[in-house]
Amino acid sequence: MEEAGAPPAWWRTIGQRYPASGSRLGSAEARYSFRVPFYQRLGEVPRKRHVQFREDGSLLTEEVMGLEGFTGNESILYHLHSPCRVMELAGFEPIVRDEWVPEQHGHRHFKTFDTEPAGDDVSGRRVLMWNDDVEISLCRPSSSMDYFFRNGEGDEVIFVHEGSGTLETIFGDLPYSAGDYVVVPRGTTYRFAPEGPQRHLVFETPGLIEIPRRYRNQYGQLMEGAPYYHRDIHPPTELRTVRERGEFPVKVRVRGGFQTYVVDYHPFDVVGWDGYLYPWTFSIHDFEPITGRIHQPPPSHQTFAGPNFVICSFCPRKLDFDPLAVPIPYHHSNLQSEEMIYYVSGNFGSRKGVEVGSITLHPSGLPHGPQPGLAEKSIGVSETHELAVMCDTFHPLRLTAFARGLDDGRYAYSWYEGGDGTGSAAGEDASGAGLTSHL
């Protein structure tokens, strides 16, 4: 049992191999499956690996950045300076987590929209919930980064709810805009250059963020039945080699904290790279919903896979077309799962009190589904216009004191028609907006 405030165990056991695609089977096929199934190259690289490569007579430094030892995906980068070069080991900041353990076990509703901006695009991340497989944070930065950041222990998926800008990285510039998932592999040095106010939902994991295995053929190509294609995946657009010298702080997440290093060269000193490992974006608006004659289960909306969790996208779509279909999610008990849904946009009239920026948490051990009367009202509805992001985990999620301050305290009663009125279906509209609210 971890002590309250201690960093999660997964930051201390990073050497463990995690099965891919949300599977708990540690097969070789799962461990070594493709993450980003196509090759990229930017800048100048030599004809062969591991041979001399010079600029103005000076030998460049070759760095192999890879996963699973030397058997997983990798990229090879060519630096002006050794990436090991450090002029100062500065401060270490341990991660202190204030856990909230509710006295009662029940469904939760967190209202996040009015959270006050604080920090920058990294320091402003405020953890809502976590387990040993994934950490889920909300970020509304109030300032810009005056340092560079590298997650040395985990992959990141940053969902951009509001804002746009450029993620500046050692692999080049990666533009992003509202609706984008920004996927950043561990070990990537980066800095946000935001444009306008930002609102991010951040997932961090010690495992690998992957494209679900069932969407890919044996060669890694996305298949015809997949809800997105290679054209929808956007790698860095431009590599800018910076030759500036000075003092540059690089903050690295390692060993349950943040270690700051100071280097005497600009970290973006890469003159070229190629490979399969790099940051990329995918827009939730490019997800092609899978629909059917009768209601499709949540896995049909899966977008990414992690160790013992999945990330799904609920997008505007046509609903079930069987004459007897009930076009609203059925009640279900995910006996081995916990379900977090973040509401992005749309009219959530089918659940009173759920609004843009709301997060609902349906923990394991309890059934959940539509509020009273809404299944009947949904009959005949042909489409929905909501946008939401879901994370399902196989293991229970722990909550923070920050989450406690956002909890409405009444959501668990929203299925009780005679309660405080929160869950009454009377007068609510089931016109097609909000139908994913009950997943």
Side-chain angles (χ1 to χ4, degrees):
M1 186 74 177
E2 291 183 36
E3 296 180 3
W10 50 274
W11 295 113
R12 302 194 299 268
T13 57
I14 196 64
Q16 177 182 353
R17 285 185 173 180
Y18 286 85
S21 305
S23 168
R24 284 177 281 185
L25 300 176
S27 67
E29 180 185 23
R31 285 201 304 271
Y32 302 120
S33 57
F34 295 93
R35 302 178 69 230
V36 182
F38 57 93
Y39 170 86
Q40 287 290 301
R41 169 177 162 173
L42 281 180
E44 297 296 323
V45 298
R47 185 179 66 85
K48 295 281 290 183
R49 297 173 292 178
H50 320 322
V51 299
Q52 294 181 42
F53 186 38
R54 297 180 181 272
E55 182 182 84
D56 297 330
S58 297
L59 185 66
L60 298 176
T61 299
E62 180 186 53
E63 176 193 7
V64 176
M65 179 175 165
L67 302 169
E68 301 280 348
F70 292 94
T71 58
N73 280 358
E74 70 175 31
S75 286
I76 300 178
L77 303 91
Y78 295 88
H79 297 263
L80 297 173
H81 309 280
S82 167
C84 306
R85 182 186 176 102
V86 174
M87 64 180 295
E88 180 185 353
L89 290 175
F92 181 84
E93 309 165 42
I95 294 172
V96 178
R97 186 166 287 110
D98 187 6
E99 183 177 5
W100 170 42
V101 181
E103 295 182 3
Q104 298 87 20
H105 183 70
H107 298 307
R108 302 283 170 184
H109 174 203
F110 308 103
K111 296 188 175 184
T112 75
F113 194 80
D114 293 327
T115 302
E116 288 296 321
D120 56 49
D121 297 83
V122 173
S123 68
R125 295 174 184 176
R126 306 182 69 180
V127 178
L128 291 160
M129 55 195 78
W130 86 98
N131 61 22
D132 287 349
D133 303 311
V134 65
E135 181 179 278
I136 304 171
S137 305
L138 181 74
C139 186
R140 294 195 66 199
S142 60
S143 60
S144 298
M145 297 174 65
D146 58 1
Y147 59 93
F148 300 88
F149 179 72
R150 179 191 313 143
N151 195 326
E153 298 180 318
D155 285 6
E156 300 179 350
V157 175
I158 303 154
F159 176 74
V160 182
H161 185 174
E162 295 177 350
S164 61
T166 301
L167 187 73
E168 301 171 342
T169 83
I170 55 172
F171 295 95
D173 288 348
L174 185 67
Y176 67 86
S177 57
D180 278 349
Y181 291 103
V182 183
V183 182
V184 186
R186 74 200 61 224
T188 301
T189 303
Y190 68 81
R191 180 176 62 183
F192 275 91
E195 298 174 5
Q198 308 279 305
R199 186 187 299 268
H200 303 163
L201 180 70
V202 184
F203 302 90
E204 299 177 66
T205 175
L208 305 181
I209 293 295
E210 299 187 326
I211 293 173
R213 180 65 185 88
R214 69 180 184 276
Y215 295 163
R216 299 175 273 119
N217 63 24
Q218 60 181 320
Y219 306 105
Q221 185 175 8
L222 288 166
M223 296 187 292
E224 284 296 303
Y228 51 94
Y229 191 59
H230 300 277
R231 298 176 195 174
D232 301 318
I233 295 174
H234 305 287
T237 57
E238 180 184 3
L239 179 65
R240 293 183 299 110
T241 304
V242 183
R243 303 171 188 276
E244 185 179 349
R245 301 297 293 268
E247 295 186 8
F248 302 91
V250 180
K251 184 178 292 187
V252 183
R253 181 165 181 168
V254 286
R255 303 293 178 91
F258 299 97
Q259 172 67 54
T260 298
Y261 301 87
V262 181
V263 299
D264 65 348
Y265 62 92
H266 196 289
F268 300 157
D269 70 335
V270 174
V271 302
W273 66 271
D274 71 339
Y276 286 76
L277 189 67
Y278 48 84
W280 47 283
T281 63
F282 168 73
S283 174
I284 194 171
H285 302 297
D286 285 332
F287 187 88
E288 303 300 333
I290 298 171
T291 61
R293 187 168 60 87
I294 58 175
H295 192 75
Q296 301 299 295
S300 65
H301 307 281
Q302 185 180 355
T303 310
F304 304 110
N308 299 312
F309 74 92
V310 299
I311 297 174
C312 298
S313 303
F314 296 112
C315 301
R317 63 192 185 277
K318 294 291 185 180
L319 293 173
D320 324 322
F321 52 86
D322 187 276
L324 296 179
V326 179
I328 200 168
Y330 37 78
H331 284 73
H332 52 285
S333 295
N334 290 343
L335 299 176
Q336 294 175 295
S337 297
E338 305 229 333
E339 175 198 274
M340 184 282 295
I341 298 181
Y342 179 84
Y343 297 89
V344 178
S345 65
N347 175 11
F348 306 115
S350 63
R351 183 172 296 284
K352 187 176 181 180
V354 170
E355 57 198 34
V356 173
S358 284
I359 290 178
T360 54
L361 176 63
H362 300 144
S364 55
L366 301 173
H368 58 274
Q371 291 175 323
L374 291 179
E376 185 69 45
K377 286 190 174 185
S378 74
I379 294 174
V381 174
S382 61
E383 58 187 31
T384 179
H385 299 283
E386 282 185 349
L387 205 62
V389 175
M390 184 181 82
C391 180
D392 262 7
T393 69
F394 281 124
H395 298 137
L397 288 160
R398 300 164 68 174
L399 301 172
T400 64
F402 173 55
R404 175 175 56 193
L406 304 175
D407 184 27
D408 74 355
R410 301 300 300 171
Y411 182 67
Y413 300 103
S414 64
W415 288 267
Y416 178 50
E417 291 181 287
D420 64 354
T422 304
S424 175
E428 293 190 31
D429 177 24
S431 62
L435 293 182
T436 60
S437 301
H438 316 290
L439 286 164

